[in-house]
Amino acid sequence: MKDFAEMLWERSDFIGNQFPQDVCGKILHSMEILSSISPAGILTDVTPSEFAVLCRAADHPKRHGSPATVAGIASRVNVSVPAVSRTLRALQQKELIERSVDETDRRNIRVTLTARGQDILEENMRRVVAKLNSILSVFSQEEMRTIAELYSKFANAMAERLGTS
């Protein structure tokens, strides 16, 4: 069976055909690799979505002085309130967060990390930082500057032309 890149090369309307095949091929192959990488192998005791919610719940009080709301977390992780509520339910069952009714606005539910939740978050942050340090250590500062510039341009073009979800 043909892979996706081969299918693209056969199309006369593919703009990548205007570039040397090895250049565009490397980009397509890199995109394939990046889309297949899962942070699940790095994290312990939580899923990637649970980790994202823990990060938001932990960061909010530092920036705003009060615990995060369910709606606020949903907005920051760019998912629906019901999806965040399901994740919060799982985190509460694991005793990593506590939910409480906001005393000033009873429509809001506030989310705080338990001591165990803070420990799990810190351990996972340590693991993520170690992996990122390992990955980034293979680049010079100049290479990182170039990657950052081009990656930003690439991401902005994708967002502009494909939209953001």
Side-chain angles (χ1 to χ4, degrees), residues 67-100:
T69 63
V70 175
I73 292 171
S75 173
R76 293 283 296 150
V77 296
N78 201 25
V79 297
S80 68
V81 170
V84 167
S85 292
R86 284 189 297 276
T87 302
L88 289 170
R89 201 167 17 262
L91 289 169
Q92 194 168 21
Q93 287 173 345
K94 293 179 180 182
E95 299 180 347
L96 303 182
I97 59 116
E98 292 177 346
R99 293 188 280 184
S100 59

Side-chain angles (χ1 to χ4, degrees), residues 15-27:
I15 195 170
N17 286 326
Q18 296 175 14
F19 301 100
Q21 192 169 356
D22 67 316
V23 172
C24 201
K26 283 181 182 179
I27 291 171

Side-chain angles (χ1 to χ4, degrees), residues 19-83:
F19 301 100
Q21 192 169 356
D22 67 316
V23 172
C24 201
K26 283 181 182 179
I27 291 171
L28 292 172
H29 181 68
S30 296
M31 289 172 66
E32 214 172 88
I33 290 170
L34 289 172
S35 69
S36 70
I37 295 171
S38 169
I42 300 169
L43 303 173
T44 60
D45 300 317
V46 292
T47 67
S49 59
E50 290 171 345
F51 179 69
V53 168
L54 283 176
C55 287
R56 297 299 181 224
D59 184 60
H60 194 275
K62 294 174 191 169
R63 295 181 186 271
H64 304 284
S66 62
T69 63
V70 175
I73 292 171
S75 173
R76 293 283 296 150
V77 296
N78 201 25
V79 297
S80 68
V81 170

Side-chain angles (χ1 to χ4, degrees), residues 132-152:
L132 286 172
N133 287 348
S134 171
I135 294 163
L136 297 177
S137 71
V138 303
F139 299 103
S140 69
Q141 278 193 358
E142 189 57 36
E143 288 171 325
M144 282 303 297
R145 197 171 277 109
T146 300
I147 290 168
E149 222 172 272
L150 294 174
Y151 195 71
S152 177

